[in-house]
Amino acid sequence: MSALARSVRAVFAAAIIPLASVSQLAVAQDARLVGRLAPPTLAAITGILDSARVAGVPTEPLVQRALEGASRNVPPERIVATVRAWSSRLKTARTALGPSSDAELVAGASALYLGLAPARLERLRRTFQTVHGSRDLVLPLIVLADMIERGVPRDTAISVIETLGAARVSDESFQILRQSVVQDIQAGAAPGAAASTRARLYAKPGAVPPIRQPPPESSGV
Amino acid sequence: MKQLLRVKVRLGMTVVLASASGMRGLAAQAAFATTVDVGAPSDASTSGVLPRLLGGRATLDSRAWALALSGQSLRAADGVATTFGSASSTRRFLENSSLRLSVGGDVLAASRGNDPTAWRGAVRAGPTSSGRAGQFDAYAKLGRIIDGADGRGLHGFGLQFGRTFSRGTITMRAEQTSFAIFQAPVRDTTYYVLEFPFHSRRTPTLARSHYVDATTQIAWRVRGSEWALDLGARSGGIATEGSRWARIDAALPLGGPVLLALQLGTRPGIPELGLPTMRAAAVALRFANAWRFGGGLDSVATNGVVAPRVARFALVRSSDGATSVVLRRVRAAVVEVMGDFTGWEAVRMEPHGRDEWRLALRVAPGLHRVLLRVDGGDWRPPPDLPLTSDELDDRVGLLLVPS
């Protein structure tokens, strides 16, 4: 290759590489965000999306958070901070959980926000993998988040999920546990006591009855 | 026909034991009643609407001392229903003890009738009504009466059928009890009892102790109160028995932890006990702080007749694969939803019936955050969904759509 040819190639490369970046940026700009966010916010969010994409983090949850912030009239800087934090948590969740569905990563990221340490998330994954095989953690993590939101102390809620996970409790049982705890709390029980007592009850093998109404009163018995 | 009228004013208070057991929501109840006249115990209205109570009741009667202990711990959440009771009195009709345990739809019951030598036991198995529209109930009972006097037992088998219809806030249950085979090898008489028997060999009415009861209950709710109308008819009855009866029960939250329970009407007689049809009127005040009134009626199950009226938000998938989000039991003029599946744009839900709202849309499998707005109010998480939050602050509901 002649020196001239090398020079021409270098010039082309110098011209094309920025063009390619611009093109990638344009692709990264989610059409749903255009018009919903102010241009500076859109640019910042787009940058976060690009980084996430490079890191292998799912971008759809990030787009949704930006849209949610816009719909709820959240100040732009907080939208950006939220999306950035979500990107970081998704990355952490992926590290802790390993290969996971987007739903599981989102549930994991939510749990991290609510105070679950990455190491405990990783331990949860190991526990469930050991006990349940390939079962995902989406529902247990949703239940965990819900309990914390309803006032169950964080450590208690985490212990409950760990205990039930180790006890081979099914997804259905996790749902029943959540509903039971919610009802107990509505009935005036202390959230922590409700969760831990229910967990003790349901951790026993075969202890979770189906949700059914009480039987009707019968004149016969 | 002997008419009995009872006007009962019951005052009581409830002491919550929930804190001791953590979360069971159990409460002890103590109440005193003044009985103006005599009649059968009538707890039908209140027993159904205090599903979280474990209680005992002491009754001081103006004519005779009576002690009645009854309890009920109905768990809407896990379907465990336990009722036990014991009553003792100088009055014949109160000489009854019973134990009733039911888990899910199964009932194990034992009771001791007014004949001191007669016991009965029954196991009932089968699905029970949960107030769902069009539900058909059928269950069987097996019973045995051990007659201590001659050492022989009675064996029985029966069937009970019912069907529940629900529309809006009205639930109707029709039920027929048909105990077809109940053989009593006493006095060389084989007879059939078409209701689970309280058997007394000294009761002359047993000479014609076959009858069929058909009962219908219509229950409905009006602004947090609960009303129930019981209608019944008996065929093949005993001469001293009325062939029809009707009773209305009402449970009226008065605000705070106070419930007013009313009952008025007639009750069917129990020929095996020699009890005629009775007229009964009862007024009761109940206090409970384990139960949230007002909206609380929406958050607890009642006696299985009226389905819990709590608002529900759910995803419904039809057979053709189309999906809709459905909000049930919310009365409003406008309901809007927004979430991951609407691109966080507010979308109006369409009214569907009286208090149901629907929105047909494509919802991809995964975990979706969602908010709801009713009548232009604040955006809130939909009822009954798990909650979460993040740096955007307010809580949102989580809707998990399986793939």
Side-chain angles (χ1 to χ4, degrees), chain A residues 82-179:
Chain A
T82 299
V83 173
R84 184 171 289 122
W86 263 96
S87 177
S88 169
R89 283 198 299 272
L90 285 169
K91 209 179 299 178
T92 306
R94 195 193 54 187
T95 304
L97 294 172
S100 308
S101 65
D102 285 4
E104 197 174 23
L105 287 181
V106 170
S110 291
L112 290 172
Y113 171 77
L114 294 169
L116 179 68
R120 286 192 94 169
L121 181 60
E122 196 175 343
R123 198 167 78 191
L124 265 182
R125 157 62 81 210
R126 279 202 306 271
T127 301
F128 275 73
Q129 261 178 348
T130 305
V131 177
H132 300 267
S134 61
R135 182 182 143 174
D136 72 31
L137 278 175
V138 177
L139 200 63
L141 290 173
I142 290 174
V143 173
L144 171 68
D146 187 58
M147 284 196 292
I148 294 173
E149 289 291 348
R150 294 178 193 276
V152 176
R154 190 180 57 207
D155 287 342
T156 303
I158 295 170
S159 296
V160 163
I161 299 299
E162 287 175 341
T163 302
L164 295 182
R168 286 177 165 269
V169 166
S170 65
D171 271 358
E172 183 193 13
S173 298
F174 271 107
Q175 288 176 324
I176 294 172
L177 168 88
R178 187 190 80 80
Q179 292 173 356

Side-chain angles (χ1 to χ4, degrees), chain B residues 230-296:
Chain B
D230 280 280
L231 301 172
R234 176 171 293 172
S235 66
I238 294 103
T240 57
E241 283 301 302
S243 59
R244 296 186 185 88
W245 59 89
R247 190 179 75 235
I248 189 161
D249 290 292
L252 310 169
L254 298 182
V258 185
L259 174 77
L260 175 66
L262 304 171
Q263 184 184 80
L264 184 67
T266 52
R267 298 169 62 88
I270 308 173
E272 297 86 3
L273 288 176
L275 291 177
T277 302
M278 286 162 283
R279 289 178 181 170
V283 179
L285 276 178
R286 292 217 168 172
F287 300 82
N289 61 359
W291 188 50
R292 300 199 320 174
F293 288 83

